[in-house]
């Protein structure tokens, strides 16, 4: 016997493997795919992404709340050293694709230099001369 599928339940697709599927079959297939996912692994990756993002936000936000008077040239040199050695964390989107840690460190370096310039211009000039052009673009 031939079963008929109502036209409104047929899903059009350009995929050669399925040109006409009923909505019920598509839903059943989606449910099966969801149950096959390794949720524990996904959770670990998600947690790693969130932790890396939080660490980077902390790096970038630190100088925003720091007093100009507390900024020292040594802190800027340390940030530059860290920038020279930063490597993306493998398999983390925010690290590999976005380069979030590098961007956070660059932001931190910039903000610290601005604060140093406001607080002690002579120290800023000496620091910038020492670090330029190889470490401060």
């Amino acid at each position: 016997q031939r079963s008929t599928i109502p036209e409104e339940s047929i899903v059009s697709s350009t995929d050669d493997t399925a040109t006409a599927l009923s909505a019920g079959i598509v839903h059943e297939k989606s449910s099966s795919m969801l149950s096959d996912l390794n949720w524990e692994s996904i959770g670990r990756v998600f947690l790693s992404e969130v932790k890396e993002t939080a660490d980077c936000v902390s790096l970038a936000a630190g100088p925003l709340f720091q007093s100009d008077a507390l900024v020292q040239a040594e802190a800027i040199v340390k940030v530059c050293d860290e920038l020279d050695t930063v490597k993306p964390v493998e398999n983390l989107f925010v690290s590999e694709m976005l380069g979030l840690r590098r961007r956070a460190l660059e932001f931190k370096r910039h903000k610290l230099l601005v604060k140093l310039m406001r607080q002690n211009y002579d120290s800023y000039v000496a620091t910038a001369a020492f670090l330029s052009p190889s470490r401060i673009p």
Side-chain angles (χ1 to χ4, degrees), residues 28-70:
E28 196 175 292
K29 192 171 189 174
S30 297
S31 296
S32 172
M33 288 173 55
L34 285 175
S35 66
D36 291 342
L37 291 175
N38 184 346
W39 290 104
E40 186 177 328
S41 175
I42 291 170
R44 275 195 307 270
V45 170
F46 179 75
L47 191 59
S48 297
E49 296 279 354
V50 170
K51 184 180 180 300
E52 178 68 9
T53 302
D55 288 347
C56 292
V57 167
S58 177
L59 275 173
L64 295 175
F65 303 105
Q66 184 177 5
S67 169
D68 291 1
L70 296 176

Side-chain angles (χ1 to χ4, degrees), residues 71-86:
V71 176
Q72 296 180 345
E74 294 82 20
I76 298 168
V77 173
K78 285 181 183 179
V79 171
C80 289
D81 290 343
E82 197 172 344
L83 261 167
D84 290 342
T85 61
V86 72

